[in-house]
Amino acid sequence: MSFLYPDFLYGLSLVAVPIIIHFFNFRRYKRQEFTQVKLLEEATKVKRRFRQIRDLLVLAARVLAVACLVIAFAHPIPPELKNHTAETSFVSVYLDNSFSMGRENENGDLLSGAKLRLEELTEGFGDGAQFQLITNDLEAVNRDFVSKELFLEAVDEVELSPNRADLHQLDQFQVSDLSNHSGQRVLVWISDFQRNQLGHFDSVSDSLIKRYWLHMEAAQTSNLSIDSAWFEQPVFSQGQTARLKVIVRNYGDKPLDDRSIYVYENGAQKALQKFGVLPGQSVELDLFYQIGTTGWNQVRLSVEDYPVVFDNDFYLSYFVDPIKRVLQLFDASANGQISRVYADNEEFILEAQSIARFNLAQVAGFDLVLLDQITSLPSGVLDRLLDHVRNGANLVIVPPPGPELAPMSFAKGKFGIEYALWVQGDVRVKDLDMDNPFFDNVFDGNPANTDFPKVFGYYQTKTSTQSLANPLIALSNEDVFLYEADEGNGKVFLSTAPFDQESTTLVRNGLFVPLLFKFATHTSSQTAHGYFIDQSPLLTRLGYGASNVNLVLAKDDKSFIPNYILKNGRLNLWKDGIREAGNYALADGKAPDTLLALYGFNYQRTESDMACMQDSELEDIAEGLGINVLKGSDINLAATFADLVNANRLWQFFLLMALGFLLFEIIAIKLPGTWMSFSKTRNA
């Protein structure tokens, strides 16, 4: 027989205490002379005989009670159970290392307490037992079963993680690994069991596996979180007003008043706003500040809240492009009105080329391609241009004047729009789709009071039911002057009129320059980046030509190579290697000083709600699933698992024996008087 706690056996020395009491507790009789003592002598001899037997029985009962009590505390394990456990026990342990396990109770933070409990748990199994450790980082876990020593070393290295496991996936994960082993199989979860995580767990994969939930409890904690944030505008310009939307949520049960949210850009405070939020509610805030720096900018939003701090900050980044490259393609000669707008502005670099001489391979370097009154395109050119648009560029199609030509046949069927009848007359632009972000920051006041241009010649169009093009500018006769269509990450703009003085007054109107600016800067590709750290890839694009690079993500002085796929400027980047929230710089490992992009990565907010299951709720769920629930505050966790897993009840036998001997002692002390009274009655 072996013992789970052999140090308790030193307590067997306490059996000397009742022995010492026995020898020092003899009664000393005083001799008294009497004349007639025969009957008294006989009675005394009988009582002495009974007393001697009683004293020996009491001594034996006390010694055995102390010995059994000590053995019970030492927790004896029969040899057959110990050998069985050492050879066949396989224990898969899920240690919850999510942010909620960073809360504290009277014994410190929950994760540290859970590590101590796991050390105790391993003592409940034999030396040959094998253990598997699983955390919320499922993809990074070592699926091997290892010895107790290696298991505890791995437990010591576990830190808080931004990830959180799906419990159904976790259960299947553990059951799958346990099914590869025969013998005694045990599945253990040690967690604070947040309500929003466990609420939908209603089934287990294999009911034959012994399951145990160890509940780590902490005081309920209120929490204020920045749940999400985003920029309202898709494109940023220097001097423009940045418009931020922020959602802040109060996860506590008390109202929060006079709180502050701060906006920092590149480390400098840019905005501050006061707010209040009711318990269990969220509030949407509008924050504004002026953009002052071109290139990549990193933004941090921050609130002050304790003790839960992981969701106090939210990180974003955005790009202010100082220069846009514009390609103007034409048949015979370039439209001078268009060329002058781009050539005279330092925010643009214009290149005008004949379509017949243009090398299609050079298109990747341009943000905007403008087809200036081109009647026909070589085979495959439009498809190549549309591939470029899908990667984030914009395309503008301006038709040549009619009516003798049948222009733009190359566009038929591509956008669900067909250029049909050439119409001449005097029609004024009437309606602009002001709900479209295209017109953001174009007008200071009401555009209804604007002197819109006239159109003297244009093409009426036919649109198919499958057309994805939206009217952007309409004429007073309900015909369309300008269409907009999304194409991948870019946009296509189709004009129905040439941009020349014979066809329209647009080239002399105040709308012309903003229109050309928007063609180059407006995009469906978001230039602001704010992501949550999870297992899904982010989909974005890099600068044109960024294909032969070795990408590296860096934050402060730490850098690593992420998993990614980069093709034609489109980037799929997996976030599984990111462990810490913040702004990360994406660079080419071959040229580390070259900044390709900035990304803001944020912890998921699933952990922000700190409400956890109560013991009674946990037991209700576990009861229907055949799971044993243990409190994290259980004192003797090793003994608990030794008994539950091995069905060992030997210590209870010794405890009952100790109680039995104590009861026997009480009876033995009372027995002599009762027996003497009975003897006297019988003799009489």
Side-chain angles (χ1 to χ4, degrees):
M1 180 182 295
S2 61
F3 296 89
L4 190 61
Y5 303 110
D7 290 343
F8 276 106
L9 294 178
Y10 291 111
L12 289 175
S13 60
L14 295 176
V15 300
V17 174
I19 296 176
I20 294 173
I21 293 174
H22 176 78
F23 283 110
F24 284 90
N25 197 33
F26 290 124
R27 291 182 181 270
R28 297 184 178 275
Y29 299 99
K30 182 177 181 181
R31 188 176 184 84
Q32 180 69 41
E33 299 293 338
F34 289 92
T35 55
Q36 297 293 331
V37 295
K38 184 176 181 179
L39 294 176
L40 186 60
E41 286 179 350
E42 291 178 359
T44 303
K45 289 178 181 179
V46 173
K47 291 180 66 176
R48 185 179 300 165
R49 231 179 356 258
F50 272 101
R51 186 176 293 112
Q52 289 174 344
I53 295 173
R54 183 201 67 181
D55 290 344
L56 290 175
L57 291 175
V58 170
L59 174 62
R62 289 173 175 173
V63 169
L64 290 174
V66 172
C68 288
L69 196 60
V70 170
I71 293 174
F73 275 101
H75 216 87
I77 300 177
E80 61 273 14
L81 287 183
K82 178 177 174 62
N83 294 335
H84 175 73
T85 301
E87 295 173 355
T88 61
S89 289
F90 294 92
V91 186
S92 178
V93 177
Y94 162 61
L95 173 58
D96 183 3
N97 61 331
S98 61
F99 282 129
S100 64
M101 290 290 285
R103 293 179 299 159
E104 296 188 353
N105 57 19
E106 63 275 8
N107 299 319
D109 67 273
L110 296 185
L111 183 60
S112 298
K115 292 180 179 181
L116 293 176
R117 306 306 279 164
L118 285 180
E119 186 175 353
E120 297 175 18
L121 179 148
T122 58
E123 296 299 326
F125 297 86
D127 294 334
Q130 297 288 297
F131 296 86
Q132 179 194 53
L133 177 64
I134 298 177
T135 66
N136 288 296
D137 307 306
L138 291 178
E139 299 301 324
V141 74
N142 183 352
R143 302 184 67 166
D144 295 333
F145 284 84
V146 297
S147 65
K148 181 188 303 183
E149 292 74 17
L150 293 177
F151 171 77
L152 292 178
E153 289 179 7
V155 168
D156 287 337
E157 295 175 359
V158 174
E159 297 178 350
L160 293 176
S161 168
N163 298 322
R164 187 167 76 166
D166 176 84
L167 295 185
H168 284 99
Q169 180 185 2
L170 173 66
D171 182 76
Q172 295 172 1
F173 192 97
Q174 291 180 279
V175 168
S176 174
D177 287 346
L178 285 170
S179 64
N180 296 326
H181 301 276
S182 59
Q184 193 176 54
R185 297 174 299 170
V186 181
L187 189 153
V188 179
W189 288 359
I190 179 167
S191 170
D192 59 351
F193 294 102
Q194 283 178 274
R195 184 171 282 110
N196 61 6
Q197 181 184 26
L198 193 62
H200 303 292
F201 187 76
D202 53 7
S203 63
V204 294
S205 302
D206 187 345
S207 59
L208 298 179
I209 294 176
K210 295 180 179 179
R211 285 177 165 82
Y212 303 93
W213 287 354
L214 183 58
H215 190 196
M216 303 298 297
E217 297 181 88
Q220 294 296 334
T221 306
S222 61
N223 183 31
L224 180 67
S225 167
I226 301 179
D227 271 10
S228 60
W230 66 94
F231 286 99
E232 285 200 288
Q233 65 264 56
V235 180
F236 302 85
S237 302
Q238 190 174 17
Q240 180 187 19
T241 298
R243 304 187 306 279
L244 264 171
K245 286 282 189 182
V246 185
I247 294 180
V248 182
R249 186 173 183 85
N250 178 7
Y251 287 94
D253 55 4
K254 297 179 180 179
L256 300 176
D257 299 316
D258 198 30
R259 292 301 185 101
S260 299
I261 184 168
Y262 302 86
V263 181
Y264 298 93
E265 183 185 73
N266 302 322
Q269 182 178 326
K270 293 292 242 178
L272 164 67
Q273 184 168 320
K274 296 285 186 179
F275 68 94
V277 57
L278 296 174
Q281 301 295 318
S282 60
V283 59
E284 185 177 290
L285 306 176
D286 294 291
L287 299 170
F288 304 93
Y289 67 92
Q290 189 175 41
I291 299 171
T293 307
T294 59
W296 284 102
N297 295 271
Q298 52 186 351
V299 176
R300 177 172 67 91
L301 305 171
S302 184
V303 295
E304 294 182 357
D305 180 57
Y306 298 96
V308 182
V309 298
F310 78 91
D311 51 8
N312 286 3
D313 296 324
F314 199 93
Y315 297 91
L316 294 163
S317 65
Y318 65 92
F319 184 71
V320 180
D321 197 347
I323 297 177
K324 293 285 187 179
R325 296 194 64 194
V326 178
L327 174 63
Q328 183 181 9
L329 296 176
F330 53 86
D331 271 339
S333 60
N335 186 325
Q337 283 87 359
I338 296 176
S339 301
R340 280 192 293 272
V341 171
Y342 290 121
D344 294 345
N345 195 294
E346 60 182 11
E347 295 184 18
F348 301 101
I349 295 178
L350 174 67
E351 184 171 334
Q353 290 195 29
S354 168
I355 186 65
R357 299 179 180 180
F358 179 67
N359 184 356
L360 196 60
Q362 299 175 1
V363 73
F366 292 95
D367 300 284
L368 172 65
V369 178
L370 195 150
L371 300 183
D372 180 13
Q373 301 186 22
I374 293 178
T375 57
S376 63
L377 286 175
S379 176
V381 172
L382 183 60
D383 290 332
R384 179 64 184 90
L385 291 176
L386 291 180
D387 286 339
H388 181 52
V389 172
R390 295 184 190 104
N391 289 331
N394 287 351
L395 174 66
V396 178
I397 299 176
V398 179
E404 66 279 359
L405 299 176
M408 314 304 293
S409 59
F410 59 85
K412 183 178 180 180
K414 290 294 183 181
F415 313 105
I417 297 176
E418 180 182 355
Y419 287 84
L421 180 67
W422 173 260
V423 178
Q424 289 181 308
D426 189 344
V427 187
R428 187 177 293 274
V429 169
K430 178 183 177 182
D431 293 324
L432 279 63
D433 183 7
M434 297 305 300
D435 293 330
N436 194 308
F438 180 88
F439 291 108
D440 287 352
N441 300 312
V442 172
F443 300 98
D444 292 332
N446 187 354
N449 301 323
T450 303
D451 180 24
F452 289 133
K454 292 182 178 181
V455 179
F456 308 120
Y458 68 97
Y459 289 93
Q460 288 183 331
T461 55
K462 297 178 181 180
T463 58
S464 67
T465 56
Q466 292 79 26
S467 175
L468 299 178
N470 300 309
L472 201 59
I473 300 177
L475 301 175
S476 58
N477 62 359
E478 307 300 331
D479 285 338
V480 178
F481 178 75
L482 182 67
Y483 287 98
E484 175 197 55
D486 289 325
E487 187 74 23
N489 288 328
K491 288 185 176 292
V492 178
F493 300 95
L494 300 100
S495 173
T496 61
F499 288 174
D500 57 31
Q501 297 186 35
E502 291 76 19
S503 301
T504 177
T505 61
L506 174 67
V507 294
R508 303 190 303 271
N509 190 272
L511 186 61
F512 184 57
V513 172
L515 205 61
L516 294 183
F517 267 63
K518 283 292 186 175
F519 287 155
T521 59
H522 184 58
T523 176
S524 58
S525 176
Q526 181 64 266
T527 55
H529 302 298
Y531 303 95
F532 287 107
I533 302 172
D534 53 29
Q535 302 301 320
S536 64
L538 66 86
L539 307 176
T540 183
R541 68 181 181 90
L542 296 180
Y544 307 115
S547 56
N548 186 25
V549 293
N550 295 327
L551 298 183
V552 176
L553 272 178
K555 178 182 180 294
D556 300 329
D557 57 346
K558 298 178 182 179
S559 63
F560 67 97
I561 299 175
N563 295 320
Y564 68 91
I565 297 175
L566 180 61
K567 185 177 181 180
N568 295 328
R570 300 191 68 177
L571 174 66
N572 287 19
L573 187 145
W574 278 262
K575 297 166 282 184
D576 50 358
I578 300 170
R579 304 283 298 179
E580 183 179 351
N583 291 111
Y584 284 75
L586 186 69
D588 183 1
K590 300 176 182 178
D593 294 334
T594 302
L595 180 62
L596 299 177
L598 270 179
Y599 299 105
F601 292 113
N602 303 279
Y603 296 127
Q604 295 187 72
R605 270 32 181 182
T606 51
E607 290 288 307
S608 295
D609 188 354
M610 294 290 170
C612 295
M613 291 285 184
Q614 301 296 322
D615 285 333
S616 58
E617 297 174 296
L618 204 58
E619 289 168 356
D620 288 341
I621 296 175
E623 183 178 1
L625 301 175
I627 300 172
N628 296 289
V629 177
L630 306 173
K631 289 185 179 181
S633 57
D634 282 349
I635 298 175
N636 198 343
L637 190 59
T640 301
F641 267 89
D643 296 337
L644 290 173
V645 175
N646 300 316
N648 175 26
R649 298 293 183 268
L650 195 55
W651 69 274
Q652 295 180 357
F653 169 77
F654 279 98
L655 184 60
L656 291 175
M657 289 290 291
L659 294 175
F661 285 126
L662 292 175
L663 180 62
F664 179 81
E665 175 194 356
I666 295 172
I667 295 174
I669 292 174
K670 299 293 185 181
L671 182 61
T674 304
W675 177 257
M676 289 299 298
S677 299
F678 173 75
S679 297
K680 289 179 181 180
T681 303
R682 187 182 63 177
N683 292 335

